[in-house]
Amino acid sequence: MEDRVRVVIAEDSVLLREGLTRLLTDRGHDVVAGVGDGDALIKTITELAGENLLPDVVVADVRMPPTHTDEGVRAAVQLRKSHPGVGVLVLSQYVEERYATELLAGSSRGVGYLLKDRVAEVREFVDAVVRVARGGTALDPEVVAQLLGRSRKQDVLAGLTPREREVLGLMAEGRTNSAIARQLVVSDGAVEKHVSNIFLKLGLSPSDGDHRRVLAVLTYLNS
C-alpha cells in the first residue's frame, strides 16, 4: 500500500490499545509495538532507532501511568526533539490547552492532537494517523477552537498581505525566521517585520509571549 505506515501505540488501557491496533492493521498498516506508559514508549523508540527501524508515527495517550497526568505528552514532546522525523499523534479525553500548546511549540509538522471521541470515526482517525506520519498536521476542531478562542472570525487572515500569508504558511511548516528568510531570499530583518505585522493583525499581543507563534500557526491551519 502506498500509504502504509509503521506505528507505535502508547496507551495504558489494554482494551483501547488492542482496539487501535486492530483498526490500523485491518487497513494495512503495521503496528510494530504497543506500550502502556511514557517510559516504555521512550525505551521502545530508542531501541527501534538503534536498529534503524523507527516508526513513521507514534500514537500516544496524553495521560499515562504512573500519575496519569502528563506522562504521555511529556514523552511525546521528548520524542519530537530527539527524533523529529517521527510523527506524533496524541489522544486526549478532554481539550487540555497547556499540553496542546507545549506539543506545538517547536513545529507543527508531523503532529496531531485529537480527542478520543474521534477514534470512533474510524476513517477520519486512520487518515489522521497517515497524515501525521507523512509530516502533516491533524488538530481536533475543539482543540483549535479553544486555543484560538471561539469568538474569532473565520476571515481573520483577510487582512494579511500576500507576503505575510506566505511567511505564515512557512511558519506553519515549522521553519524558523532564518529559514524563512533563506526560502524567500530576503533578510532576517524583513522576516521579523513580517512576523511582527502578522502578530499585530491577528490580535496577538506581546503578553501572549512565546505562544504567539503557536497561535498564529493555529489560525492559519484553521483558515
Side-chain angles (χ1 to χ4, degrees):
M1 290 177 59
E2 183 179 349
D3 287 334
R4 186 169 186 163
V5 298
R6 289 166 46 80
V7 188
V8 169
I9 298 175
E11 166 60 58
D12 63 294
S13 166
V14 175
L15 184 61
L16 181 53
R17 187 165 72 237
E18 293 301 319
L20 294 174
T21 298
R22 182 67 179 270
L23 285 179
L24 292 165
T25 55
D26 281 355
R27 283 154 185 79
H29 302 295
D30 296 324
V31 177
V32 298
V35 299
D37 61 70
D39 289 341
L41 174 59
I42 296 299
K43 180 180 178 181
T44 296
I45 296 300
T46 300
E47 291 174 350
L48 290 172
E51 300 171 5
N52 291 320
L53 294 174
L54 277 173
D56 299 302
V57 60
V58 168
V59 178
D61 191 357
V62 165
R63 297 172 180 263
M64 288 195 290
T67 68
H68 291 279
T69 54
D70 63 351
E71 283 85 357
V73 75
R74 283 195 288 107
V77 170
Q78 182 178 334
L79 288 177
R80 281 174 59 73
K81 293 178 180 178
S82 59
H83 302 286
V86 177
V88 173
L89 173 62
V90 299
L91 304 177
S92 179
Q93 193 68 40
Y94 311 101
V95 178
E96 302 182 73
E97 296 182 25
R98 177 169 65 86
Y99 298 154
T101 301
E102 185 177 4
L103 188 68
L104 291 161
S107 167
S108 60
R109 298 195 66 179
V111 64
Y113 189 116
L114 297 181
L115 296 182
K116 286 188 175 180
D117 288 346
R118 302 295 174 191
V119 177
E121 301 170 16
V122 176
R123 183 174 181 178
E124 182 177 329
F125 168 70
V126 175
D127 285 348
V129 171
V130 174
R131 186 161 65 254
V132 171
R134 300 305 184 209
T137 304
L139 296 178
D140 195 288
E142 286 297 315
V143 174
V144 175
Q146 288 203 29
L147 288 177
L148 295 180
R150 296 177 182 275
S151 63
R152 296 213 172 193
K153 296 181 179 179
Q154 293 297 314
D155 62 352
V156 68
L157 300 185
L160 301 184
T161 66
R163 176 61 92 182
E164 288 165 354
R165 288 180 69 98
E166 189 175 11
V167 169
L168 183 53
L170 293 171
M171 288 168 60
E173 293 180 6
R175 305 196 190 202
T176 64
N177 285 1
S178 295
I180 293 172
R182 290 194 298 271
Q183 175 71 20
L184 300 180
V185 195
V186 297
S187 67
D188 287 1
V191 172
E192 291 173 5
K193 183 176 180 180
H194 287 312
V195 171
S196 294
N197 287 338
I198 290 168
F199 290 157
L200 179 63
K201 292 180 180 180
L202 296 185
L204 301 174
S205 67
S207 62
D208 291 316
D210 293 337
H211 292 169
R212 286 196 298 175
R213 200 173 186 93
V214 174
L215 294 174
V217 167
L218 286 171
T219 303
Y220 176 83
L221 294 173
N222 195 44
S223 64

mmCIF file of all heavy atoms in Angstrom, residues 142-181:
data_model
loop_
_atom_site.group_PDB
_atom_site.id
_atom_site.type_symbol
_atom_site.label_atom_id
_atom_site.label_comp_id
_atom_site.label_asym_id
_atom_site.label_seq_id
_atom_site.Cartn_x
_atom_site.Cartn_y
_atom_site.Cartn_z
ATOM 1 N N GLU A 142 -12.062 20.987 18.189
ATOM 2 C CA GLU A 142 -12.283 21.508 19.529
ATOM 3 C C GLU A 142 -11.000 22.080 20.127
ATOM 4 O O GLU A 142 -11.022 23.066 20.856
ATOM 5 C CB GLU A 142 -12.828 20.398 20.436
ATOM 6 C CG GLU A 142 -14.281 20.049 20.182
ATOM 7 C CD GLU A 142 -15.204 21.218 20.453
ATOM 8 O OE1 GLU A 142 -15.042 21.894 21.488
ATOM 9 O OE2 GLU A 142 -16.086 21.478 19.613
ATOM 10 N N VAL A 143 -9.875 21.476 19.789
ATOM 11 C CA VAL A 143 -8.579 21.970 20.271
ATOM 12 C C VAL A 143 -8.297 23.338 19.665
ATOM 13 O O VAL A 143 -7.940 24.293 20.359
ATOM 14 C CB VAL A 143 -7.448 20.987 19.915
ATOM 15 C CG1 VAL A 143 -6.082 21.577 20.286
ATOM 16 C CG2 VAL A 143 -7.657 19.655 20.618
ATOM 17 N N VAL A 144 -8.483 23.425 18.360
ATOM 18 C CA VAL A 144 -8.246 24.697 17.670
ATOM 19 C C VAL A 144 -9.167 25.775 18.206
ATOM 20 O O VAL A 144 -8.755 26.909 18.468
ATOM 21 C CB VAL A 144 -8.446 24.531 16.146
ATOM 22 C CG1 VAL A 144 -8.331 25.876 15.441
ATOM 23 C CG2 VAL A 144 -7.426 23.554 15.582
ATOM 24 N N ALA A 145 -10.450 25.429 18.403
ATOM 25 C CA ALA A 145 -11.427 26.405 18.871
ATOM 26 C C ALA A 145 -11.040 26.967 20.235
ATOM 27 O O ALA A 145 -11.112 28.174 20.465
ATOM 28 C CB ALA A 145 -12.812 25.765 18.939
ATOM 29 N N GLN A 146 -10.601 26.105 21.130
ATOM 30 C CA GLN A 146 -10.246 26.587 22.463
ATOM 31 C C GLN A 146 -8.946 27.378 22.463
ATOM 32 O O GLN A 146 -8.801 28.357 23.185
ATOM 33 C CB GLN A 146 -10.147 25.410 23.437
ATOM 34 C CG GLN A 146 -11.500 24.829 23.790
ATOM 35 C CD GLN A 146 -11.491 24.082 25.101
ATOM 36 O OE1 GLN A 146 -10.705 24.389 26.002
ATOM 37 N NE2 GLN A 146 -12.371 23.115 25.232
ATOM 38 N N LEU A 147 -7.972 26.965 21.666
ATOM 39 C CA LEU A 147 -6.699 27.680 21.641
ATOM 40 C C LEU A 147 -6.840 29.055 20.998
ATOM 41 O O LEU A 147 -6.155 30.006 21.370
ATOM 42 C CB LEU A 147 -5.646 26.861 20.905
ATOM 43 C CG LEU A 147 -5.127 25.626 21.645
ATOM 44 C CD1 LEU A 147 -4.139 24.870 20.765
ATOM 45 C CD2 LEU A 147 -4.459 25.998 22.952
ATOM 46 N N LEU A 148 -7.701 29.137 20.025
ATOM 47 C CA LEU A 148 -7.863 30.413 19.321
ATOM 48 C C LEU A 148 -8.915 31.298 19.961
ATOM 49 O O LEU A 148 -8.912 32.503 19.772
ATOM 50 C CB LEU A 148 -8.230 30.166 17.852
ATOM 51 C CG LEU A 148 -7.172 29.475 16.992
ATOM 52 C CD1 LEU A 148 -7.698 29.305 15.566
ATOM 53 C CD2 LEU A 148 -5.888 30.267 16.981
ATOM 54 N N GLY A 149 -9.849 30.703 20.680
ATOM 55 C CA GLY A 149 -10.968 31.475 21.200
ATOM 56 C C GLY A 149 -12.128 31.359 20.233
ATOM 57 O O GLY A 149 -12.005 31.632 19.041
ATOM 58 N N ARG A 150 -13.278 30.929 20.724
ATOM 59 C CA ARG A 150 -14.400 30.615 19.846
ATOM 60 C C ARG A 150 -14.973 31.836 19.137
ATOM 61 O O ARG A 150 -15.694 31.714 18.156
ATOM 62 C CB ARG A 150 -15.505 29.936 20.656
ATOM 63 C CG ARG A 150 -15.072 28.603 21.223
ATOM 64 C CD ARG A 150 -16.161 27.996 22.081
ATOM 65 N NE ARG A 150 -15.715 26.735 22.655
ATOM 66 C CZ ARG A 150 -15.786 25.569 22.042
ATOM 67 N NH1 ARG A 150 -16.280 25.513 20.823
ATOM 68 N NH2 ARG A 150 -15.370 24.473 22.622
ATOM 69 N N SER A 151 -14.665 33.024 19.618
ATOM 70 C CA SER A 151 -15.253 34.224 19.020
ATOM 71 C C SER A 151 -14.484 34.747 17.821
ATOM 72 O O SER A 151 -14.904 35.678 17.164
ATOM 73 C CB SER A 151 -15.342 35.329 20.072
ATOM 74 O OG SER A 151 -14.055 35.700 20.520
ATOM 75 N N ARG A 152 -13.338 34.143 17.513
ATOM 76 C CA ARG A 152 -12.536 34.647 16.394
ATOM 77 C C ARG A 152 -13.246 34.418 15.076
ATOM 78 O O ARG A 152 -13.839 33.375 14.838
ATOM 79 C CB ARG A 152 -11.177 33.963 16.375
ATOM 80 C CG ARG A 152 -10.363 34.294 17.609
ATOM 81 C CD ARG A 152 -8.904 34.335 17.270
ATOM 82 N NE ARG A 152 -8.163 34.841 18.421
ATOM 83 C CZ ARG A 152 -6.922 35.214 18.353
ATOM 84 N NH1 ARG A 152 -6.274 35.159 17.229
ATOM 85 N NH2 ARG A 152 -6.307 35.666 19.425
ATOM 86 N N LYS A 153 -13.147 35.365 14.180
ATOM 87 C CA LYS A 153 -13.801 35.252 12.885
ATOM 88 C C LYS A 153 -12.980 34.373 11.945
ATOM 89 O O LYS A 153 -11.762 34.351 11.998
ATOM 90 C CB LYS A 153 -13.974 36.645 12.264
ATOM 91 C CG LYS A 153 -14.894 37.556 13.070
ATOM 92 C CD LYS A 153 -15.042 38.901 12.388
ATOM 93 C CE LYS A 153 -15.971 39.802 13.189
ATOM 94 N NZ LYS A 153 -16.124 41.137 12.557
ATOM 95 N N GLN A 154 -13.686 33.665 11.076
ATOM 96 C CA GLN A 154 -13.009 32.759 10.161
ATOM 97 C C GLN A 154 -12.174 33.503 9.121
ATOM 98 O O GLN A 154 -11.258 32.944 8.538
ATOM 99 C CB GLN A 154 -14.049 31.872 9.453
ATOM 100 C CG GLN A 154 -14.755 30.912 10.399
ATOM 101 C CD GLN A 154 -13.789 29.935 11.023
ATOM 102 O OE1 GLN A 154 -12.950 29.363 10.333
ATOM 103 N NE2 GLN A 154 -13.882 29.738 12.326
ATOM 104 N N ASP A 155 -12.533 34.782 8.846
ATOM 105 C CA ASP A 155 -11.808 35.530 7.816
ATOM 106 C C ASP A 155 -10.688 36.367 8.424
ATOM 107 O O ASP A 155 -10.290 37.385 7.877
ATOM 108 C CB ASP A 155 -12.770 36.432 7.031
ATOM 109 C CG ASP A 155 -13.445 37.474 7.907
ATOM 110 O OD1 ASP A 155 -13.285 37.399 9.143
ATOM 111 O OD2 ASP A 155 -14.141 38.354 7.365
ATOM 112 N N VAL A 156 -10.148 35.909 9.553
ATOM 113 C CA VAL A 156 -9.156 36.695 10.274
ATOM 114 C C VAL A 156 -7.889 36.918 9.455
ATOM 115 O O VAL A 156 -7.166 37.888 9.671
ATOM 116 C CB VAL A 156 -8.821 36.010 11.615
ATOM 117 C CG1 VAL A 156 -8.089 34.706 11.392
ATOM 118 C CG2 VAL A 156 -8.027 36.927 12.532
ATOM 119 N N LEU A 157 -7.607 36.044 8.482
ATOM 120 C CA LEU A 157 -6.402 36.192 7.667
ATOM 121 C C LEU A 157 -6.586 37.169 6.512
ATOM 122 O O LEU A 157 -5.620 37.473 5.806
ATOM 123 C CB LEU A 157 -5.967 34.833 7.104
ATOM 124 C CG LEU A 157 -5.631 33.732 8.109
ATOM 125 C CD1 LEU A 157 -5.106 32.495 7.373
ATOM 126 C CD2 LEU A 157 -4.605 34.212 9.122
ATOM 127 N N ALA A 158 -7.809 37.651 6.335
ATOM 128 C CA ALA A 158 -8.091 38.514 5.186
ATOM 129 C C ALA A 158 -7.251 39.790 5.189
ATOM 130 O O ALA A 158 -6.955 40.346 4.136
ATOM 131 C CB ALA A 158 -9.575 38.868 5.148
ATOM 132 N N GLY A 159 -6.839 40.232 6.385
ATOM 133 C CA GLY A 159 -6.083 41.477 6.461
ATOM 134 C C GLY A 159 -4.595 41.324 6.190
ATOM 135 O O GLY A 159 -3.868 42.325 6.132
ATOM 136 N N LEU A 160 -4.132 40.102 5.990
ATOM 137 C CA LEU A 160 -2.716 39.889 5.720
ATOM 138 C C LEU A 160 -2.389 40.122 4.256
ATOM 139 O O LEU A 160 -3.191 39.813 3.372
ATOM 140 C CB LEU A 160 -2.308 38.453 6.090
ATOM 141 C CG LEU A 160 -2.504 38.004 7.539
ATOM 142 C CD1 LEU A 160 -1.959 36.588 7.720
ATOM 143 C CD2 LEU A 160 -1.849 38.966 8.517
ATOM 144 N N THR A 161 -1.205 40.655 4.003
ATOM 145 C CA THR A 161 -0.755 40.822 2.620
ATOM 146 C C THR A 161 -0.349 39.447 2.072
ATOM 147 O O THR A 161 -0.124 38.505 2.840
ATOM 148 C CB THR A 161 0.456 41.750 2.553
ATOM 149 O OG1 THR A 161 1.572 41.114 3.220
ATOM 150 C CG2 THR A 161 0.163 43.092 3.220
ATOM 151 N N PRO A 162 -0.251 39.310 0.749
ATOM 152 C CA PRO A 162 0.191 38.023 0.181
ATOM 153 C C PRO A 162 1.524 37.557 0.752
ATOM 154 O O PRO A 162 1.716 36.368 1.020
ATOM 155 C CB PRO A 162 0.291 38.328 -1.316
ATOM 156 C CG PRO A 162 -0.732 39.393 -1.543
ATOM 157 C CD PRO A 162 -0.663 40.249 -0.311
ATOM 158 N N ARG A 163 2.460 38.477 0.955
ATOM 159 C CA ARG A 163 3.757 38.099 1.504
ATOM 160 C C ARG A 163 3.631 37.628 2.952
ATOM 161 O O ARG A 163 4.269 36.658 3.365
ATOM 162 C CB ARG A 163 4.733 39.275 1.425
ATOM 163 C CG ARG A 163 6.090 39.006 2.055
ATOM 164 C CD ARG A 163 6.818 37.848 1.365
ATOM 165 N NE ARG A 163 7.680 38.317 0.307
ATOM 166 C CZ ARG A 163 8.411 37.556 -0.488
ATOM 167 N NH1 ARG A 163 8.342 36.232 -0.330
ATOM 168 N NH2 ARG A 163 9.160 38.057 -1.446
ATOM 169 N N GLU A 164 2.776 38.312 3.731
ATOM 170 C CA GLU A 164 2.574 37.911 5.120
ATOM 171 C C GLU A 164 1.936 36.527 5.200
ATOM 172 O O GLU A 164 2.291 35.716 6.053
ATOM 173 C CB GLU A 164 1.717 38.954 5.848
ATOM 174 C CG GLU A 164 2.472 40.252 6.116
ATOM 175 C CD GLU A 164 1.558 41.408 6.492
ATOM 176 O OE1 GLU A 164 0.317 41.239 6.440
ATOM 177 O OE2 GLU A 164 2.083 42.492 6.833
ATOM 178 N N ARG A 165 1.008 36.242 4.279
ATOM 179 C CA ARG A 165 0.398 34.908 4.256
ATOM 180 C C ARG A 165 1.441 33.860 3.878
ATOM 181 O O ARG A 165 1.416 32.739 4.401
ATOM 182 C CB ARG A 165 -0.762 34.877 3.251
ATOM 183 C CG ARG A 165 -1.993 35.635 3.694
ATOM 184 C CD ARG A 165 -3.095 35.553 2.638
ATOM 185 N NE ARG A 165 -3.612 34.195 2.555
ATOM 186 C CZ ARG A 165 -4.721 33.769 3.169
ATOM 187 N NH1 ARG A 165 -5.408 34.602 3.934
ATOM 188 N NH2 ARG A 165 -5.142 32.534 3.024
ATOM 189 N N GLU A 166 2.362 34.226 3.003
ATOM 190 C CA GLU A 166 3.414 33.306 2.611
ATOM 191 C C GLU A 166 4.333 33.012 3.797
ATOM 192 O O GLU A 166 4.714 31.850 4.033
ATOM 193 C CB GLU A 166 4.213 33.898 1.449
ATOM 194 C CG GLU A 166 5.197 32.929 0.809
ATOM 195 C CD GLU A 166 5.871 33.512 -0.418
ATOM 196 O OE1 GLU A 166 5.731 34.741 -0.655
ATOM 197 O OE2 GLU A 166 6.533 32.748 -1.135
ATOM 198 N N VAL A 167 4.677 34.054 4.536
ATOM 199 C CA VAL A 167 5.514 33.885 5.720
ATOM 200 C C VAL A 167 4.798 33.015 6.751
ATOM 201 O O VAL A 167 5.391 32.100 7.341
ATOM 202 C CB VAL A 167 5.873 35.259 6.329
ATOM 203 C CG1 VAL A 167 6.510 35.084 7.707
ATOM 204 C CG2 VAL A 167 6.821 36.019 5.408
ATOM 205 N N LEU A 168 3.503 33.265 6.961
ATOM 206 C CA LEU A 168 2.740 32.484 7.931
ATOM 207 C C LEU A 168 2.653 31.023 7.502
ATOM 208 O O LEU A 168 2.713 30.108 8.337
ATOM 209 C CB LEU A 168 1.341 33.084 8.088
ATOM 210 C CG LEU A 168 0.426 32.433 9.127
ATOM 211 C CD1 LEU A 168 1.112 32.344 10.482
ATOM 212 C CD2 LEU A 168 -0.879 33.204 9.232
ATOM 213 N N GLY A 169 2.522 30.785 6.203
ATOM 214 C CA GLY A 169 2.498 29.418 5.700
ATOM 215 C C GLY A 169 3.791 28.685 5.987
ATOM 216 O O GLY A 169 3.792 27.504 6.353
ATOM 217 N N LEU A 170 4.918 29.382 5.850
ATOM 218 C CA LEU A 170 6.215 28.780 6.148
ATOM 219 C C LEU A 170 6.395 28.577 7.658
ATOM 220 O O LEU A 170 7.009 27.605 8.095
ATOM 221 C CB LEU A 170 7.340 29.646 5.585
ATOM 222 C CG LEU A 170 7.397 29.700 4.048
ATOM 223 C CD1 LEU A 170 8.393 30.755 3.577
ATOM 224 C CD2 LEU A 170 7.764 28.335 3.481
ATOM 225 N N MET A 171 5.834 29.481 8.446
ATOM 226 C CA MET A 171 5.836 29.293 9.896
ATOM 227 C C MET A 171 5.080 28.017 10.256
ATOM 228 O O MET A 171 5.484 27.255 11.145
ATOM 229 C CB MET A 171 5.200 30.499 10.595
ATOM 230 C CG MET A 171 6.049 31.760 10.583
ATOM 231 S SD MET A 171 5.107 33.239 11.098
ATOM 232 C CE MET A 171 4.596 32.773 12.764
ATOM 233 N N ALA A 172 3.979 27.771 9.559
ATOM 234 C CA ALA A 172 3.156 26.585 9.816
ATOM 235 C C ALA A 172 3.895 25.298 9.469
ATOM 236 O O ALA A 172 3.546 24.220 9.957
ATOM 237 C CB ALA A 172 1.851 26.662 9.033
ATOM 238 N N GLU A 173 4.918 25.410 8.626
ATOM 239 C CA GLU A 173 5.743 24.244 8.293
ATOM 240 C C GLU A 173 6.837 24.016 9.338
ATOM 241 O O GLU A 173 7.646 23.097 9.211
ATOM 242 C CB GLU A 173 6.388 24.435 6.915
ATOM 243 C CG GLU A 173 5.380 24.433 5.768
ATOM 244 C CD GLU A 173 6.045 24.617 4.422
ATOM 245 O OE1 GLU A 173 7.287 24.625 4.368
ATOM 246 O OE2 GLU A 173 5.328 24.765 3.428
ATOM 247 N N GLY A 174 6.858 24.884 10.349
ATOM 248 C CA GLY A 174 7.831 24.725 11.428
ATOM 249 C C GLY A 174 9.163 25.398 11.171
ATOM 250 O O GLY A 174 10.142 25.126 11.871
ATOM 251 N N ARG A 175 9.218 26.296 10.190
ATOM 252 C CA ARG A 175 10.502 26.930 9.855
ATOM 253 C C ARG A 175 10.784 28.120 10.765
ATOM 254 O O ARG A 175 9.888 28.844 11.169
ATOM 255 C CB ARG A 175 10.496 27.388 8.401
ATOM 256 C CG ARG A 175 10.164 26.279 7.425
ATOM 257 C CD ARG A 175 10.532 26.656 6.015
ATOM 258 N NE ARG A 175 10.013 25.694 5.052
ATOM 259 C CZ ARG A 175 10.509 25.515 3.836
ATOM 260 N NH1 ARG A 175 11.551 26.212 3.451
ATOM 261 N NH2 ARG A 175 9.969 24.633 3.015
ATOM 262 N N THR A 176 12.054 28.325 11.064
ATOM 263 C CA THR A 176 12.474 29.470 11.853
ATOM 264 C C THR A 176 12.487 30.705 10.968
ATOM 265 O O THR A 176 12.397 30.621 9.743
ATOM 266 C CB THR A 176 13.875 29.251 12.429
ATOM 267 O OG1 THR A 176 14.805 29.146 11.330
ATOM 268 C CG2 THR A 176 13.930 27.978 13.257
ATOM 269 N N ASN A 177 12.664 31.878 11.602
ATOM 270 C CA ASN A 177 12.741 33.110 10.820
ATOM 271 C C ASN A 177 13.903 33.078 9.835
ATOM 272 O O ASN A 177 13.792 33.528 8.692
ATOM 273 C CB ASN A 177 12.882 34.312 11.749
ATOM 274 C CG ASN A 177 11.570 34.656 12.441
ATOM 275 O OD1 ASN A 177 10.563 33.980 12.245
ATOM 276 N ND2 ASN A 177 11.574 35.708 13.241
ATOM 277 N N SER A 178 15.044 32.542 10.273
ATOM 278 C CA SER A 178 16.210 32.471 9.395
ATOM 279 C C SER A 178 15.944 31.563 8.198
ATOM 280 O O SER A 178 16.325 31.876 7.066
ATOM 281 C CB SER A 178 17.426 31.963 10.173
ATOM 282 O OG SER A 178 17.792 32.875 11.182
ATOM 283 N N ALA A 179 15.275 30.440 8.447
ATOM 284 C CA ALA A 179 14.961 29.510 7.360
ATOM 285 C C ALA A 179 13.967 30.138 6.384
ATOM 286 O O ALA A 179 14.064 29.942 5.165
ATOM 287 C CB ALA A 179 14.391 28.212 7.928
ATOM 288 N N ILE A 180 13.026 30.903 6.910
ATOM 289 C CA ILE A 180 12.063 31.595 6.051
ATOM 290 C C ILE A 180 12.773 32.622 5.187
ATOM 291 O O ILE A 180 12.488 32.767 3.994
ATOM 292 C CB ILE A 180 10.967 32.265 6.912
ATOM 293 C CG1 ILE A 180 10.117 31.202 7.607
ATOM 294 C CG2 ILE A 180 10.074 33.165 6.044
ATOM 295 C CD1 ILE A 180 9.134 31.761 8.619
ATOM 296 N N ALA A 181 13.716 33.332 5.792
ATOM 297 C CA ALA A 181 14.475 34.341 5.047
ATOM 298 C C ALA A 181 15.232 33.696 3.892
ATOM 299 O O ALA A 181 15.260 34.234 2.774
ATOM 300 C CB ALA A 181 15.438 35.069 5.987
#
